């Protein structure tokens, strides 16, 4: 049936939707409610292996205050219209700004972009959803506040709140972003406003310094979920260290990954390495500044022999470990000596400082990320294959050498079956290890889109069968991943959803949670 809307929310008639749109416009103004395809294009564009139509929103609404969010939520309840909240909407490779199912209204919170407070002494910040990392970085620079951010690779254009509620990660010692958050304000599906932790206590000034409050700790249930719309979030910022020393350790063989993890995990656990140990495969390292077609004309997986030649030619490691030291020059010197001795004793790896590396753009962007400096250099990965297709595959394991080759072989075998390249990193967080694979494909080629979908599906199936759960996934595979965690967890998530959001209006399907 034809409609004046590019999509309609499931179960909502055009007449009802007309009435809802009219009410959103009355609250937000004409200029902040979009239903035309031109304005909705940026909310519909996806990179993940699924057809765009499955994620087409019916409208986008842009509230500018908590009261406007509450008013929109009331309208959603009245007409049973689902909303998909986004903060800065750059969840690229996980679904971008588009909803997980067709017809949801995107609630774009970018107009709520106030930095409410930065406490330079206590090292805390309280921000609204639309605040970008760049904005917060500029604020700290402008006010000469010696605090550092931790940000993900697309730092400049993404934001701390959206990244943290999706449990994203960064590269400074504060890189587990949700762990370093403190206090939320949440508009509940009923329209009530909840302040978590110490925030509910009148006259308290501890909301950004003490996470736990009293009674059940609720903040976690508002991450990777659809139980509320987070309208403010507190963060801890790291005091700028007197000295920062980034370094890289390059390893020549793929099989070195076992020893890398065994050698470096104890240093990470003892916090001699204070930030996550990022172990970058050659194809990620090279893919961020080379074009595949200029080095390999074939269409299938790039052969290992070609990768080896490129490694030699460009003098990168088959694995490249990036870490930093943060402290006084004296502290850094002590830890540097320990690291040098450990790497030397392991008999493997070339340890290089910034001075030794010289003018290397990849080292520079990694060093910038490790000190929370804005950049978007990693977007170079999208030129490797071209065609705008990307999906992050992100299984988690114990941080043990014995967990690496098994996973690498499995990933390479499955990617190889479908003609894709192993563009990967292992990241030793603390005791855990993320294995991040960017499934890069050409979205303009229907055969590759279908192959990428099947490949991603098989990666999830095989890895979860082997006990490797996924920590975060794109909007096309949320149900599948929710299933891998078993029926009890899924049912409890659903019971909470029903209790808090009886009309199912907030982001139905997020993380596989439906009413
Ligand atoms: C080249 C490249 C490198 C990347 N590297 C990293 C990396 O190092 N680390 C990393 O973590 N990610 C990385 N990403 C993925 C992603 O781009 C970032 O995580 C980014 O920060 C997420 O986008 P955002 O901050 O705009 O959040 P948003 O897109 O605004 O939010 C993310 C999701 O959280 C939920 N959400 C957002 N706001 C709210 C709210 N107010 N209330 C309730 N729910 C909400 C929604 O489901 C939304 O889809 C990378 C992407 C690319 C393309």
């Amino acid at each position: 049936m034809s409609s004046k809307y590019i999509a309609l929310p499931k179960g909502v008639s055009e007449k009802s939707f007309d009435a809802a749109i009219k009410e959103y416009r009355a609250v937000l103004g004409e200029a902040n409610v979009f239903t035309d395809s031109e304005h909705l294009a940026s909310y519909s564009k996806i990179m993940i292996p699924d057809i765009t139509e499955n994620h087409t929103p019916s409208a986008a609404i842009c509230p500018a205050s908590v009261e406007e969010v509450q008013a929109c939520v009331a309208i959603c309840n009245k007409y049973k219209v689902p909303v998909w909240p986004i903060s800065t909407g750059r969840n690229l490779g996980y679904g971008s700004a588009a909803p997980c199912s067709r017809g949801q209204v995107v609630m774009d919170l970018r107009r709520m972009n106030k930095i409410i407070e930065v406490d330079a002494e206590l090292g805390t910040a309280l921000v609204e959803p639309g605040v970008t990392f760049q904005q917060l970085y500029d604020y700290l620079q402008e006010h000469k506040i010696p605090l550092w951010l931790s940000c993900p690779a697309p730092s400049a254009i993404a934001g701390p709140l959206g990244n943290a509620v999706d449990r994203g990660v960064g590269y400074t010692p504060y890189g587990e972003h949700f762990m370093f958050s403190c206090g939320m304000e949440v508009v509940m599906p009923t329209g009530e406003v909840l302040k978590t932790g110490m925030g509910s206590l009148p006259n308290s000034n501890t909301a950004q310094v003490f996470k736990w409050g009293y009674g059940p700790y609720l903040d976690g249930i508002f991450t990777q979920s659809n139980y509320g719309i987070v309208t403010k979030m507190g963060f801890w910022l790291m005091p700028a260290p007197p000295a920062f020393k980034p370094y890289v350790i390059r390893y020549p063989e793929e099989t070195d990954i076992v020893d890398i993890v065994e050698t470096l995990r104890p240093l990470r656990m003892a916090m001699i390495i204070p930030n996550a140990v990022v172990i970058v495969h050659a194809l990620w390292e090279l893919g961020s500044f080379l074009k595949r077609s200029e080095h390999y004309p074939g269409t299938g997986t790039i052969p290992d022999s070609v990768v080896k030649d490129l490694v030699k030619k460009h003098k990168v490691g088959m694995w490249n470990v990036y870490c930093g030291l943060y402290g006084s020059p004296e502290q850094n010197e002590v830890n540097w000596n320990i690291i040098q001795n450990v790497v030397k004793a392991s008999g493997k790896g070339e340890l290089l400082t910034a001075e030794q590396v010289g003018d290397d753009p990849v080292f520079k962007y990694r060093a910038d990320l490790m000190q929370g400096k804005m950049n978007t250099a990693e977007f170079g990965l999208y030129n490797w294959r071209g065609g705008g297709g990307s999906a992050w595959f992100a299984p988690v394991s114990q941080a043990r050498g014995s967990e690496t080759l098994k996973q690498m072989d499995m990933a390479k075998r499955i990617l190889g079956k479908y003609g894709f390249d192993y563009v990967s990193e292992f990241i030793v967080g603390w005791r855990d290890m993320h294995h991040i694979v960017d499934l890069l494909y050409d979205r303009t080629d229907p055969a590759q889109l279908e192959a990428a979908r099947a490949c991603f599906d098989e990666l999830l199936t095989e890895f979860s069968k082997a006990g490797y759960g996924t920590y975060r996934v794109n909007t096309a595979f949320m149900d599948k991943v929710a299933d891998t965690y078993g029926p009890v967890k899924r049912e409890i998530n659903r019971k909470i959803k029903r209790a808090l959001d009886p009309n199912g209006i907030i982001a139905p399907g997020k993380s596989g949670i439906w009413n």
Side-chain angles (χ1 to χ4, degrees):
M1 208 170 61
S2 74
S3 163
K4 62 175 163 296
Y5 298 106
I6 63 169
L8 273 172
K10 198 168 165 213
V12 177
S13 69
E14 186 165 326
K15 197 164 157 234
S16 268
F17 198 53
D18 282 342
I21 292 292
K22 199 169 159 205
E23 292 195 29
Y24 294 133
R25 288 199 164 123
V27 171
L28 305 177
E30 293 282 328
N32 296 307
V33 178
F34 305 110
T35 57
D36 61 295
S37 55
E38 195 186 326
H39 278 103
L40 292 181
S42 64
Y43 299 105
S44 311
K45 192 172 184 326
I46 52 169
M47 308 179 82
I48 59 174
D50 199 5
I51 53 168
T52 306
E53 288 68 28
N54 287 347
H55 303 274
T56 305
S58 51
I61 56 178
C62 307
S65 66
V66 176
E67 293 73 25
E68 288 188 1
V69 172
Q70 288 176 289
C72 290
V73 163
I75 300 165
C76 292
N77 273 309
K78 182 170 168 191
Y79 295 100
K80 311 274 189 297
V81 169
V83 273
W84 180 265
I86 57 165
S87 290
T88 41
R90 311 289 183 159
N91 217 4
L92 311 170
Y94 288 114
S96 310
C100 75
S101 68
R102 184 176 173 80
Q104 297 194 34
V105 171
V106 175
M107 181 182 277
D108 180 349
L109 299 167
R110 85 180 111 144
R111 292 174 69 220
M112 295 179 68
N113 62 357
K114 284 195 278 303
I115 298 169
I116 294 158
E117 190 187 13
V118 173
D119 187 317
E121 283 173 8
L122 290 170
T124 64
L126 181 66
V127 299
E128 289 189 329
V131 170
T132 61
F133 286 105
Q134 180 78 58
Q135 191 184 339
L136 192 51
Y137 181 82
D138 290 346
Y139 181 96
L140 297 176
Q141 299 296 310
E142 208 178 295
H143 293 83
K144 300 194 173 17
I145 299 173
L147 293 172
W148 280 11
L149 298 180
S150 175
C151 47
S155 46
I157 58 172
L161 195 153
N163 180 272
V165 294
D166 220 29
R167 297 209 290 266
V169 295
Y171 303 91
T172 75
Y174 284 31
E176 260 289 359
H177 294 155
F178 177 55
M179 194 186 289
F180 287 94
S181 71
C182 193
M184 288 177 173
E185 177 190 84
V186 188
V187 173
M188 300 300 294
T190 51
E192 292 160 297
V193 176
L194 168 73
K195 294 190 180 192
T196 65
M198 302 303 284
S200 300
L201 190 77
N203 301 323
S204 163
N205 60 8
T206 49
Q208 266 64 70
V209 293
F210 184 63
K211 286 165 77 91
W212 316 120
Y214 177 74
Y217 172 70
L218 295 177
D219 300 49
I221 69 165
F222 299 109
T223 63
Q224 291 192 1
S225 83
N226 48 16
Y227 300 152
I229 299 169
V230 182
T231 45
K232 288 185 189 70
M233 198 159 171
F235 292 94
W236 292 349
L237 307 181
M238 179 179 156
F244 167 62
K245 186 182 177 88
Y247 55 93
V248 60
I249 319 173
R250 293 181 180 148
Y251 293 82
E253 302 295 334
E254 257 185 351
T255 47
D256 289 337
I257 186 67
V258 180
D259 291 336
I260 298 172
V261 174
E262 284 306 302
T263 305
L264 300 179
R265 184 200 52 243
L267 297 176
R268 173 68 186 116
M269 282 176 61
M271 292 200 273
I272 289 161
I273 297 178
N275 58 338
V277 178
V278 180
I279 310 164
V280 187
H281 188 269
L283 268 186
W284 186 309
E285 189 90 345
L286 295 164
S288 57
F289 66 95
L290 296 182
K291 272 193 181 147
R292 185 184 202 272
S293 57
E294 289 171 7
H295 304 277
Y296 179 62
T299 49
T301 308
I302 191 164
D304 285 349
S305 57
V306 177
V307 181
K308 275 197 174 150
D309 289 346
L310 286 172
V311 161
K312 268 199 206 121
K313 184 171 165 201
H314 292 279
K315 298 189 173 53
V316 300
M318 190 56 86
W319 293 106
N320 306 271
V321 177
Y322 289 96
C323 298
L325 290 170
Y326 305 76
S328 67
E330 296 80 9
Q331 279 173 312
N332 287 355
E333 198 51 33
V334 169
N335 286 331
W336 180 243
N337 285 334
I338 297 171
I339 291 162
Q340 273 183 312
N341 290 337
V342 168
V343 173
K344 198 167 167 204
S346 75
K348 281 185 180 171
E350 187 191 10
L351 179 57
L352 299 167
T353 61
E355 295 71 35
Q356 288 166 315
V357 169
D359 193 17
D360 173 352
V362 176
F363 184 90
K364 185 181 177 316
Y365 100 72
R366 291 282 173 185
D368 280 351
L369 281 179
M370 289 191 285
Q371 52 188 317
K373 277 195 182 164
M374 299 302 101
N375 71 84
T376 49
E378 211 162 84
F379 282 88
L381 281 176
Y382 296 141
N383 298 327
W384 172 245
R385 189 140 202 162
S390 161
W392 302 103
F393 176 59
V396 175
S397 68
Q398 294 183 342
R400 293 186 201 277
S402 56
E403 297 287 2
T404 53
L405 284 185
K406 198 163 64 171
Q407 288 194 63
M408 184 183 82
D409 289 347
M410 206 161 36
K412 284 182 80 170
R413 177 176 53 75
I414 297 167
L415 289 157
K417 180 171 157 189
Y418 295 94
F420 299 118
D421 300 332
Y422 179 62
V423 179
S424 78
E425 289 177 343
F426 282 97
I427 303 180
V428 176
W430 224 310
R431 287 153 178 83
D432 64 295
M433 185 164 64
H434 289 191
H435 181 193
I436 308 289
V437 178
D438 196 356
L439 172 46
L440 294 167
Y441 68 99
D442 181 354
R443 257 190 88 75
T444 63
D445 173 353
Q448 267 196 50
L449 173 63
E450 184 44 37
R453 199 202 57 72
C455 179
F456 199 87
D457 190 79
E458 189 167 338
L459 284 166
L460 285 175
T461 304
E462 292 303 314
F463 272 71
S464 59
K465 222 190 278 171
Y468 300 119
T470 299
Y471 98 96
R472 186 176 175 196
V473 80
N474 68 65
T475 47
F477 287 89
M478 288 180 162
D479 281 315
K480 179 161 178 123
V481 170
D483 275 341
T484 66
Y485 284 85
V488 175
K489 176 138 199 308
R490 214 162 170 190
E491 188 49 30
I492 287 178
N493 286 347
R494 192 216 278 266
K495 279 184 184 156
I496 298 173
K497 178 71 175 164
R498 282 184 181 160
L500 297 179
D501 185 6
N503 291 325
I505 54 146
I506 297 184
K510 171 84 185 179
S511 298
I513 308 168
W514 303 87
N515 282 50

